[in-house]
Amino acid sequence: MINKTILITGGTGSWGYALVNKLLEMNSGEIRIFSRNEALQVEMKQHFRNSSQLKFIIGDIRNKDELMLACQGVDYIYHTAALKHVPICEQQPDMAFKINVIGTQHVIDAAIANQVSKVIYVSTDKASNPSNTYGMTKALGERLIIHANEKNTATKFISVRSGNVLGSTGSVIPIFKRQIEQNLDVTITDMRMTRFFIALEEAVDMLLTATEHGFGGEIFVSKMPACKISNIAEVLMEQQEKSDLQLIETGVRPGETLHEMLISECESETSIHFDDKYFVILPNFPIMGLQEHYERFERVSFDKYDSEHMLMSKRETEKMLRSGGFL
């Protein structure tokens, strides 16, 4: 990554901040932050003390011409831009499609036109056996990324799939903490709900692993435990000694599921153990050289990898929150 030019779509988000931190440590070349929000770009510029390596570009992935210009001379693209909140995607599926699907195709086209070396697409556990608009659009994005490797191009396209990033914007942890600090009862949609979680540092490591080792056409999946959302709330309440507060169920929101899945039953048939940190899902159709590249790796033995059956204990959840700096 030394002296390489890198473009991060949606670069002012949680993934972007963590990735920029790591890239600056690695002495990469120019890092281009491509996003729509001017205020967030100004804030990020100040956060990194006006680093000369960072170049901020106001743009929208729905506009292919803007991406074409932003990708000139780029070596690697990290495509993190997306409409991500499940209820919003349910309310505006047309916008979710334009950003998450059409926008991803624009990234692919711009990468090929500018002879980018590799594109790393950030996906989600909700793309596995999708049941809501967000998951469906991200699953379509994965398919576009996979099939882009069949085009007559030197650009390699790789996906990474992870759970929820700990403490990211709009996630439950900052919401719970704010409610507790204001002495409000903590609201939870359903006491049975479980989710996969990953620390930002681990998420960035997965991106870099996919960049270094990705062949093109595969999906890297982080091996991670899951936890009950109610356990997160209870641990945060206990740490603040708020025994008088209660957990209030509000009901599952449109598009939400009780549990998440990282690898579906269908996908497990073509999944392998990459190492002790990652699985790799291979497509169910041949891509030249891809299946042969992974022949020596061990196939997974499970039927599916879901949050309902990979649960941490409450104490393990506390340890996760503490290591993430939330306690």
Side-chain angles (χ1 to χ4, degrees), residues 127 138-148 161 219 267 285:
K138 293 299 285 185
L140 280 171
E142 285 184 352
R143 298 303 187 276
L144 292 172
I145 289 291
I146 290 169
H147 279 276
R161 187 188 287 175
I219 303 172
E267 292 169 332
F285 59 90

Side-chain angles (χ1 to χ4, degrees), residues 204-321:
V204 169
D205 286 344
M206 180 166 57
L207 291 179
L208 298 178
T209 297
T211 305
E212 181 179 357
H213 298 286
F215 183 89
E218 70 271 59
I219 303 172
F220 280 78
V221 180
S222 181
K223 297 180 180 180
M224 67 183 85
C227 66
K228 293 181 68 175
I229 299 299
S230 60
N231 279 350
I232 291 178
E234 288 172 1
V235 167
L236 292 172
M237 291 162 68
E238 289 169 4
Q239 288 297 311
Q240 294 294 322
E241 299 181 346
K242 300 287 186 176
S243 57
D244 55 323
L245 299 182
Q246 297 181 348
L247 282 177
I248 307 296
E249 280 189 314
T250 59
V252 176
R253 298 176 298 177
E256 277 191 326
T257 57
L258 289 180
H259 311 291
E260 300 289 7
M261 187 177 294
L262 274 169
I263 300 177
S264 68
E265 291 184 27
C266 178
E267 292 169 332
S268 67
E269 296 178 4
T270 57
S271 297
I272 56 97
H273 291 276
F274 181 76
D275 58 19
D276 60 344
K277 290 185 177 181
Y278 308 110
F279 301 110
V280 164
I281 304 172
L282 301 175
N284 56 10
F285 59 90
I287 290 179
M288 185 176 295
L290 176 62
Q291 280 74 13
E292 292 79 4
H293 180 75
Y294 287 103
E295 274 183 344
R296 65 182 178 87
F297 291 86
E298 177 188 355
R299 298 284 175 175
V300 302
S301 58
F302 53 76
D303 292 328
K304 59 182 179 180
Y305 195 79
D306 61 48
S307 62
E308 184 179 10
H309 299 102
M310 302 299 298
L311 288 175
M312 292 185 285
S313 67
K314 187 174 178 180
R315 295 281 72 86
E316 288 172 328
T317 300
E318 178 183 348
K319 183 179 179 181
M320 175 189 73
L321 293 173

Side-chain angles (χ1 to χ4, degrees), residues 177-194:
K177 291 188 73 172
R178 185 162 58 250
Q179 290 175 329
I180 294 168
E181 289 167 359
Q182 295 174 359
N183 286 315
L184 300 173
D185 288 331
V186 176
T187 55
I188 183 170
T189 54
D190 193 294
M191 295 293 288
R192 298 168 293 170
M193 190 168 285
T194 63

Side-chain angles (χ1 to χ4, degrees), residues 14-32:
S14 302
W15 286 79
Y17 267 84
L19 182 55
V20 168
N21 266 322
K22 189 69 173 181
L23 292 173
L24 290 175
E25 291 177 5
M26 298 170 66
N27 296 318
S28 66
E30 183 177 82
I31 305 170
R32 300 178 187 176

